Amino acid sequence: MGSAEPPAVRVPVGRDAGRWVSRRTRRRVLLVVHNVTSAGRLLDVLPLFHDDFRVQLLVTSTESSAFQGGVRELFADLGLPVLPWRQALDTPVDLAVSASFGGELPLLQGKLAVLSHGVGYTKKLAAPGAGSREPGAGSREPGAGSREPGAGSREPTFGLAPDWLLADGRPFVDALVLSHPEQLARLRRICPEAADGAVLAGDPCYDRMLAARPHRRRFRRALGVREGQRLVVLNSTWNPEGLFGDGGSEDLLPGLLPRLAAELPADDYRLAAVLHPNIWHGHGPGQLRAWLDRARRNGLTLIDPLHSWRQALLAADLVLGDFGAVSYYAAALGTPVLLGAAGQERLDPEAPLAEFVRTAPRLDPHATLRGQLERTLAAHRPLAGPARFTSSAPGESAALLRRSLYALLDLPEPPSPALLEPLPLPPYEPPRRTAPLQVQARVRGRRVRVVRSAELPYRAGVEAHRAVHEDTRDPADLTLADVIVREGRPDDPRLGPPADWAAEVLHRFPQCALAAYVTGPGTCTAYARGHGLFRLTAEPEADADPAAYASALHAWLAGGRAPAPGGTTLRVEAAGRTHPVTVEAATAPPRSGAAGP
């Protein structure tokens, strides 16, 4: 948030606020944000206060977290009055709601409710300055403790230990929200003084995912996942021992990403990455895009870590993850999980997540990746533990949480039902592969089997060619391409009509045999040197990348074939399915210097 203290808010709180407010409210609720990670859980419960004219919502940041990136933008989107932290400490409120233990929470003037911002309380983490109520006595910020190898065995459990729950030897949390009695049992063993404030109220994050399960197909379509494709979601927590980190026994990710691109056929697999918000905002989204540039050009999509990660998880066929909460949520949803990093030294060994990590399938970085993914998918049986321990009251968290929060406010609940916001449909974001693809095609009559990947071994008797996106990073790729593709609107004035673009490409690159302009999810215009202009239209039951249809057409024409005057239907085989595609001759105005039919 910056080192300079912003000016105090005068409306709707402040010494003379009564002169300026349009409505006087009976209660003040302060949302306490530590970083974007914890803010996500506060956004989950915010609707519980909707439509209540008795409550004024306020927000503040403890500024104690090392991860301040994204907080200012989040506050701007919320549109709530933002109290500087010093003013928040000086302002009496009726209820403060936090989703972490960082900062000087014991000094807040009002009742305090604390929610977990993960899947219960699972991590071991020291709390510097624990036990003091004095400002500056310690950050109490998650992540501020020792991160040396082996230190976890000496650290308390974050959120359940006296180090986090007691100030001056006394509990300072009025409602510690737990999602399962298992956490309450651990709390009673570890910090019995705080057990009286425990509230079993389920998991609102999990409930939002459960409610959105019927929309899995929509979420897959939003990510451009086609029928027959498998969506693999790479997930990493923010610790150095996580999948993204370099503090484990092996720095796995830099070598893993290009291997995934090479070993997983582009039409069979779709890749997306859900990275912890502390990775996202700690290193910066621009830095992540720079580090993952090659993977992104090979089709990897980076998922918004605040608004879209749950939708990606619901859409996934398999999660390649680590010991973070997202992997456990995936397992609770019944999704296969393959662990690339275990990080058991970071976990409370009694937490259900630790048991899951001990037993979940492990990735062998030295074995064939596709084989491991396929074996994990084939052998998968949903585990009972994650679904059982994620929430003891699935689907009921809204009602349970609102009841508890309004009891702390000493207000009757609103008459309308307590409801959470449904997960929104993410924007349409299909994969954009601008790195060259090696294509193998086997032609049998009008059937064309197509396999596209970053690398492919030579196979005798199979037609092979190179397909390159016009926006490839290296212009030299285009001089070696057999097929050049791009996508866009058919009426994009920058490119001109698809036929003109294709003719221009064939003129500029004389070695290119076919130029294909993808105009929609199932259509493209292709200009084949020596054959002319064609319009490719997928039949309703087809659902593959039209660039694959263009490669299939190129392979089919290379065998001396030509479409019938009324059109020909090719049956393109990709991703374990057959995709009927109609190829029809089209006409285009003559273009000076262009390669003609």
Side-chain angles (χ1 to χ4, degrees), residues 481-555:
D482 301 292
V483 174
I484 296 176
V485 301
R486 78 161 302 114
E487 67 286 323
R489 300 195 321 268
D491 58 348
D492 190 332
R494 299 169 299 174
L495 299 169
D500 285 1
W501 171 87
E504 177 188 337
V505 166
L506 293 185
H507 175 63
R508 287 172 55 209
F509 300 103
Q511 89 298 333
C512 178
L514 185 143
Y517 188 119
V518 176
T519 54
T523 58
C524 74
T525 296
Y527 210 142
R529 191 181 300 276
H531 294 273
L533 188 68
F534 299 99
R535 183 176 297 108
L536 280 65
T537 306
E539 299 296 327
E541 64 269 32
D543 189 23
D545 183 354
Y549 304 153
S551 278
L553 175 62
H554 167 70

Side-chain angles (χ1 to χ4, degrees), residues 458-481:
Y458 170 77
R459 294 173 61 192
V462 176
E463 189 275 342
H465 64 266
R466 184 177 176 88
V468 179
H469 195 284
E470 189 184 30
D471 291 340
T472 182
R473 177 67 57 83
D474 186 354
D477 291 334
L478 296 170
T479 66
L480 302 174

